[in-house]
Amino acid sequence: MASELRDLYQEVILDHYKRPRNFRAMENADRTAVGYNPLCGDRITLYLRMAGQVIQDATFQGQGCAICTASTSMMTDAVKGRTTGEADALFQEFHHLVTTPPDVDVEAPSLGKLEAFSGVREFPARVKCASLAWHTLRAALHGDKQATTE
Ligand code: ZN
């Protein structure tokens, strides 16, 4: 557990878990989607306000583990002000980061502090906790009401 804590719960992740950003429901959201990770029990609802193709605001509610909550908090911060195309590109980069074997270096030039989640590669069950927010984002952007990690 000690090494899992060290690798997984980096300071930035702990900070977003303890004080999740954008953690509120949004009235009159343009897009919403529910994400569910049955493996862990993480369940989130994502709300987006759009201005054309630009994500103006992103908020969420729900119950998740530390990794899921921190990931959703950081994802909502990261996509605000981005176009749907840019958000899709971030999704791809994040997905690549967390699904590449831990002994392989990954270039993630656009991720910034989201790179803190590279530690989940050591813990395959946690990859779904980290990526649930992004699957839910994609569902919301592309008109699906639900996303699961399966
Ligand atoms: Zn989880």
Side-chain angles (χ1 to χ4, degrees), residues 97-114:
L97 174 75
V98 297
T99 56
T100 300
D103 54 340
V104 177
D105 279 343
V106 182
E107 296 279 320
S110 311
L111 288 183
K113 64 187 177 182
L114 290 166

Side-chain angles (χ1 to χ4, degrees), residues 37 40-42 64-65 67-68 126 129:
N37 171 19
C40 177
D42 306 311
C65 66
I67 294 295
C68 172
R126 292 301 194 171
C129 300

